[in-house]
Amino acid sequence: MTPRFYVTTPIYYVNGAPHIGHAYTSIAADVVARFYRLSGYGVFFLTGTDEHGQKVEQAAKNAGVTPGVFADNVSADFRHMADSMNISYDAFIRTTEPRHITSAQNLWRKVAENGAIYLGAYEGWYSVRDECFYSEDELITTEEGKKCAPTGAPVEWVKEPSYFFKLSAFQEPLLELYERNPDFLGPHGVRNEIISFVKQGLRDLSISRTSFQWGIPVPDDEHHVMYVWFDALTNYLSALGYPDETAPLMVYWPAALHLVGKDIARFHAVYWPAFLMAAGIELPHKIFANGWWTVEGQKMSKSLGNVVNPRDLLQEFSLDSIRFFLLREVPFGGDSDLSRKALITRNNVELANDLGNLAQRTLSLVARYCDGVVPEKGEQTEDDIKLLGQVHVLPDVLALQFKRCALTDALEEVWKVIRASNVYIARQEPWTLRKTDPIRMASVLRVLLEALRGIATVLQPFMPETMARLLDQLGVSDDERLFSALNTPIPTGRSLPAPQGIFPRYPEE
Ligand code: MSP
């Protein structure tokens, strides 16, 4: 049976325009989805938009339109962003869709039937920007002496009737879950933070609101709408057809991986598994949190006017240079800074020089001195065997890195092989062999073609468009691009198209 892999991005709030921070989580999830497809898994990849709640209601009001119209527009912007970033999602869910509303109400009913929901009254702090309840001791005081959320977001005092979820009852089961499955939550820093948050004691969670309307009605109580996080988290099930257990896509549950930003790890690693346990539904296998991007050293914010729209970045840089930069610049899970200088340097050094030159040199030698056809494999030297051995194990080496969401380490493993190939070409000097030993030259070029083919194949998830072009130039047909195809060499004698540079070089500042 084909193994399955269900991967999700967070669903994005439609209160404002998409920016590069949103694109980041989606690109990372896309790399994961593509990696598992190429490894032979049946993948289902979900993204979408989170459209209810007070924050969206307020944004619509400020724009002078109904929340429905507002959500339609911004949701379409997020879909365009996903398309322009080459995000290979299988489904795009919107929480205003009837299928999702039914699903969230069903989950609520299930949790209520199992006795984990009760009616009470909430009195305490709420941050609309974070859509999060905070306890007094979590708040910080600003320089002006105002209380605000630990994220810096404003908070307001809320007092209203509310349904509560018995989160306190799940403290021990959650701690057991983290303990029993050390891989359930990553990276380490986030895992430790969440464990200590849960150890401090969990209070029951308010899961409905009465002071505004833009939300999913609580079943059998029209005065309440669901707390937006109860609604939003359910999207991961709605998209598969929940509550219909026989829906064809339900075979993808439990999710293999929820990729999220570190700011929303708590909702995914504490609330979500608790809701699922309460409903008697299997838990996702892994939650992994990515870090936060600043821009030229500053936090992105509307007031600073430095919010980077991926569309603007695409005016100047190729999509694959951006995708590569975002995953290469910082170990996945850590925070980093997006600067033009760093983007240009990464591109010029690692793509244009390391990989681009290797490809260009090899392919133009084959074009010129092997009549543009894949040359024969001659007798193998120790150097040949060593390099091809490194290439051969790449899919397995990467599989280990992907298993722990170490996307940057995976790239580093590929770069080791690229650097080794550059050392190889410099040592073998095929341009000199042309005169002294043309048979050996052909053999060396053949080794380099195989190495490039392996490198391009495993880099497809990161740079799909560019690697497709490189594989075209290497004479690898569309049906030879799965990782498993690497076990079959490129047929000798296959003719290759005229080589063309694949990576643009950007002028240094
Ligand atoms: N709607 C919720 C998620 C619900 S999932 C059931 C939400 N939406 S969001 O639009 O505010 O953020 C979505 C994702 O974008 C989060 O994972 C967040 O970490 C990510 N990012 C937003 N700004 C970011 C940066 N500056 N850098 C990196 N990621 C950032 O939260």
Side-chain angles (χ1 to χ4, degrees):
M1 199 183 70
T2 314
R4 295 196 184 91
F5 198 94
Y6 177 29
V7 55
T8 66
T9 73
I11 48 171
Y12 302 99
Y13 283 130
V14 291
N15 64 307
H19 61 62
I20 196 71
H22 305 123
Y24 179 53
T25 314
S26 290
I27 291 170
D30 182 60
V31 170
V32 171
R34 289 176 188 270
F35 181 86
Y36 282 98
R37 281 189 204 115
L38 289 165
S39 305
Y41 283 69
V43 170
F44 192 75
F45 174 20
L46 177 70
T47 189
T49 43
D50 187 356
E51 307 188 6
H52 291 124
Q54 219 172 345
K55 174 150 94 166
V56 172
E57 193 183 70
Q58 281 179 5
K61 201 167 164 207
N62 294 340
V65 293
T66 63
V69 167
F70 191 78
D72 282 349
N73 289 336
V74 183
S75 177
D77 291 343
F78 272 98
R79 199 190 271 263
H80 286 147
M81 179 192 73
D83 294 335
S84 69
M85 297 273 120
N86 206 356
I87 306 300
S88 60
Y89 56 87
D90 295 296
F92 189 102
I93 185 137
R94 301 184 52 188
T95 55
T96 45
E97 288 175 61
R99 61 168 172 160
H100 171 74
I101 294 169
T102 310
S103 164
Q105 288 178 329
N106 266 277
L107 185 71
W108 180 292
R109 281 212 179 89
K110 195 92 204 148
V111 175
E113 269 165 32
N114 292 344
I117 293 180
Y118 62 92
L119 184 61
Y122 179 76
E123 183 164 6
W125 296 104
Y126 191 74
S127 160
V128 175
R129 193 167 96 191
D130 295 350
E131 295 283 20
C132 185
F133 300 95
Y134 288 109
S135 62
E136 184 76 38
D137 53 0
E138 282 181 289
L139 299 186
I140 53 172
T141 311
T142 63
E143 278 169 15
E144 300 88 49
K146 259 187 98 171
K147 281 184 197 296
C148 71
T151 55
V155 287
E156 58 191 49
W157 187 259
V158 174
K159 189 177 174 186
E160 59 188 37
S162 173
Y163 283 94
F164 282 84
F165 172 71
K166 284 188 185 163
L167 186 61
S168 55
F170 292 90
Q171 179 169 354
E172 282 314 313
L174 283 167
L175 289 172
E176 240 171 67
L177 166 72
Y178 311 138
E179 202 57 43
R180 236 182 324 131
N181 306 294
D183 295 336
F184 175 74
L185 174 59
H188 281 298
V190 170
R191 179 170 185 267
N192 292 342
E193 251 172 57
I194 294 286
I195 292 180
S196 74
F197 170 75
V198 175
K199 277 191 175 155
Q200 277 165 24
L202 292 175
R203 295 188 314 164
D204 289 350
L205 179 70
S206 163
I207 51 164
S208 77
R209 307 286 313 271
T210 49
S211 50
F212 66 93
Q213 245 107 73
W214 185 238
I216 298 183
V218 164
D220 310 317
D221 192 344
E222 63 197 26
H223 301 299
H224 292 252
V225 294
M226 288 180 197
Y227 170 40
V228 66
W229 275 100
F230 189 95
D231 156 353
L233 287 161
T234 314
N235 89 88
Y236 302 131
L237 281 170
S238 325
L240 300 183
Y242 178 85
D244 177 4
E245 298 289 342
T246 63
L249 290 175
M250 281 303 280
V251 295
Y252 284 99
W253 191 261
L257 175 65
H258 293 312
L259 266 189
V260 300
K262 64 175 183 176
D263 54 318
I264 56 172
R266 185 195 291 188
F267 302 95
H268 284 83
V270 181
Y271 302 168
W272 183 225
F275 295 158
L276 291 169
M277 284 185 211
I281 297 174
E282 265 189 280
L283 306 186
H285 290 162
K286 191 178 184 71
I287 291 161
F288 194 88
N290 63 245
W292 203 254
W293 284 90
T294 52
V295 172
E296 306 288 349
Q298 281 183 310
K299 202 176 161 183
M300 263 187 282
S301 83
K302 273 192 207 145
S303 51
L304 287 173
N306 66 345
V307 178
V308 176
N309 184 321
R311 210 176 30 221
D312 299 336
L313 221 47
L314 281 172
Q315 299 281 322
E316 205 179 344
F317 300 101
S318 85
L319 171 60
D320 283 349
S321 317
I322 301 169
R323 289 174 59 113
F324 174 74
F325 171 79
L326 291 173
L327 290 172
R328 176 65 170 156
E329 184 66 4
V330 54
F332 192 63
D335 296 333
S336 191
D337 184 55
L338 171 65
S339 75
R340 283 177 53 81
K341 189 167 184 287
L343 208 165
I344 291 171
T345 307
R346 281 276 171 209
N347 181 82
N348 289 356
V349 173
E350 293 184 337
L351 294 183
N353 284 2
D354 291 352
L355 179 54
N357 282 350
L358 175 69
Q360 190 63 19
R361 273 168 137 183
T362 305
L363 289 166
S364 53
L365 287 170
V366 172
R368 242 180 294 159
Y369 304 121
C370 305
D371 300 323
V373 300
V374 176
E376 208 160 322
K377 203 179 230 163
E379 214 170 291
Q380 303 273 283
T381 66
E382 224 173 90
D383 282 352
D384 301 354
I385 294 168
K386 193 170 155 215
L387 183 62
L388 291 176
Q390 274 179 280
V391 175
H392 188 71
V393 295
L394 267 180
D396 290 339
V397 169
L398 264 59
L400 290 176
Q401 305 299 351
F402 270 77
K403 198 157 179 263
R404 43 181 211 100
C405 288
L407 307 187
T408 313
D409 293 354
L411 278 174
E412 178 52 28
E413 293 296 340
V414 185
W415 250 258
K416 278 186 200 158
V417 180
I418 294 174
R419 288 191 291 261
S421 306
N422 277 317
V423 169
Y424 175 87
I425 196 171
R427 255 169 75 125
Q428 306 295 326
E429 299 187 25
W431 44 87
T432 312
L433 289 170
R434 181 174 72 90
K435 294 177 210 128
T436 56
D437 187 350
I439 294 181
R440 175 65 191 150
M441 174 206 70
S443 208
V444 164
L445 292 175
R446 171 64 190 241
V447 168
L448 284 163
L449 287 178
E450 294 291 354
L452 276 166
R453 187 252 188 134
I455 290 163
T457 300
V458 298
L459 283 180
Q460 290 176 97
F462 296 89
M463 295 180 280
E465 260 168 32
T466 319
M467 290 307 113
R469 276 166 49 214
L470 181 52
L471 288 166
D472 288 344
Q473 295 192 41
L474 292 165
V476 178
S477 63
D478 286 346
D479 55 1
E480 295 168 329
R481 294 182 182 189
L482 291 178
F483 296 164
S484 57
L486 288 176
N487 296 325
T488 319
I490 317 176
T492 302
R494 186 174 278 184
S495 57
L496 305 184
Q500 280 171 347
I502 43 167
F503 292 110
R505 182 181 293 279
Y506 301 110
E508 309 272 343
E509 308 256 286

